[in-house]
Amino acid sequence: MTLLRTLLMLGVLLCTVVAPRVASADEATNCYANVTDANFGVVDRFGNTDVTATVTYWCKSDLFGGWLVASKYAMAKICIELGGGSAAGSTEFNRLMTNAQGDTLQFGLFSDPSRTQRWGHSRPNTPEVTVYYPLSRGEGESVPAQVTIYGRIPPQTGLAAGSYLNLFRAVVENDARIVYRYTDRRPQGDPTSCDAGGFNTQQKRSIGPFNVTAALPHSCAIKGATDMDFGLLTGAISGSLSQTSAITMECTRRTPWQIGLDNGQNASGDVRRLRSGSSYIAYELNRSAAGTRWGNTLGADTKTGTGQGTEEVVTVHGVINDQTIPAAGQYSDTIKATVTY
């Protein structure tokens, strides 16, 4: 009788030793990523404006290596997907930032320094990375690794001044997310991509939020001006002789501007004069053909307008009124034009 009880107790003990361990629900692999903001700063309207941002990614597991697995390490394949973000009309193929007035600014996100491989939300435009991580409860986390996002704002016309933003939101799956597959139970094999292979089914996790920002300040530039040539003058001028010049300028859209003209190099008071040696011919420069004088006093006698984001041509109207030509010669003057915004 004593012998039988001993065997039964031994049988219970043996069952306890060989019974498989049941994994709890929280014993799983999770992969994560975050992204730094991409601040382009002040935009160069006439050239490329570049910036970089960093994606940091890692995986961790609460599964004990050696219990249900044949290895103490596991592997995951992660695809990092970036969509269009929050700006209205923005897509992975045509990314946009917007300002408070709803104006748009185009930009691109790329996976290579030469900025030719577009970084998108759909294959094959999503960079894929491989992560190896230990299987150890409380310590089963890979060393964080990083990949660079290369951003570019190309030159573009019609831009408006303002502060621009596109927010990639963590709560919106198509803004930014990682898609991954992994194997934490051998020997089922490692995943061959983030979409295929491995023991475990595909997982998805939103990442972010992060901002893409840029600033386009109010700006104007005078790009050139044509000469004003009154031609050949003889004897006395009766009535008035008119001619025009064209000033070419460009301002960011929504930028108020004023162009002023000084009195030249040979003025007598406010009277502009062409000069040849010691002889002079009086003339005037006007804002319109009707004869409104064009001066250099802001808010009073300057030419005003609002930038369109493209080149604009402003006409200067010149006139020589009744007078006698004092002497033969080549008469000239130089006028300085100044744009204020």
Side-chain angles (χ1 to χ4, degrees), residues 153-314:
I153 296 175
Q156 48 203 285
T157 59
L159 294 180
S163 297
Y164 287 82
L165 168 69
N166 188 334
L167 171 62
F168 286 77
R169 303 155 292 185
V171 296
V172 180
E173 183 179 89
N174 287 343
D175 276 0
R177 73 178 184 182
I178 55 174
V179 172
Y180 58 97
R181 294 179 71 92
Y182 62 95
T183 290
D184 57 12
R185 290 167 174 83
R186 304 299 178 103
Q188 283 79 7
D190 290 327
T192 56
S193 73
C194 65
D195 297 315
F199 177 83
N200 303 90
T201 58
Q202 189 177 72
Q203 307 292 315
K204 300 176 182 179
R205 185 181 300 277
S206 294
I207 59 177
F210 67 96
N211 296 319
V212 179
T213 56
L216 192 64
H218 292 288
S219 66
C220 289
I222 293 178
K223 307 183 79 172
T226 61
D227 291 336
M228 182 178 292
D229 186 0
F230 287 101
L232 181 63
L233 308 180
T234 59
I237 299 173
S238 178
S240 62
L241 182 64
S242 300
Q243 192 52 267
T244 61
S245 174
I247 297 175
T248 301
M249 60 176 291
E250 183 175 344
C251 296
T252 49
R253 195 150 50 93
R254 303 185 189 279
T255 298
W257 54 262
Q258 298 186 56
I259 295 180
L261 302 180
D262 71 2
N263 285 333
Q265 298 177 329
N266 310 306
S268 176
D270 286 335
V271 178
R272 294 183 172 104
R273 299 188 301 176
L274 301 170
R275 177 179 178 235
S276 177
S278 58
S279 298
Y280 299 91
I281 299 175
Y283 73 101
E284 194 51 87
L285 300 176
N286 299 318
R287 289 170 280 167
S288 67
T292 307
R293 188 179 190 277
W294 193 329
N296 208 26
T297 304
L298 295 177
D301 58 4
T302 56
K303 185 81 170 181
T304 62
T306 301
Q308 302 301 310
T310 56
E311 284 191 359
E312 301 177 67
V313 177
V314 180

Side-chain angles (χ1 to χ4, degrees), residues 22-108:
V22 178
S24 62
D26 63 349
E27 290 175 345
T29 289
N30 290 288
C31 295
Y32 305 88
N34 56 47
V35 188
T36 61
D37 290 341
N39 181 7
F40 283 94
V42 176
V43 176
D44 180 357
R45 292 190 296 129
F46 307 107
N48 292 323
T49 306
D50 292 338
V51 75
T52 60
T54 301
V55 182
T56 302
Y57 59 90
W58 69 98
C59 294
K60 64 179 297 184
S61 176
D62 285 330
L63 199 65
F64 275 125
W67 281 95
L68 296 178
V69 298
S71 172
K72 292 184 178 181
Y73 293 89
M75 186 261 267
K77 290 280 192 179
I78 303 175
C79 287
I80 304 166
E81 301 179 346
L82 299 178
S86 64
S90 180
T91 69
E92 65 175 296
F93 303 107
N94 182 36
R95 290 192 169 97
L96 303 172
M97 286 180 269
T98 57
N99 64 10
Q101 290 74 36
D103 303 309
T104 59
L105 175 64
Q106 293 179 332
F107 72 101

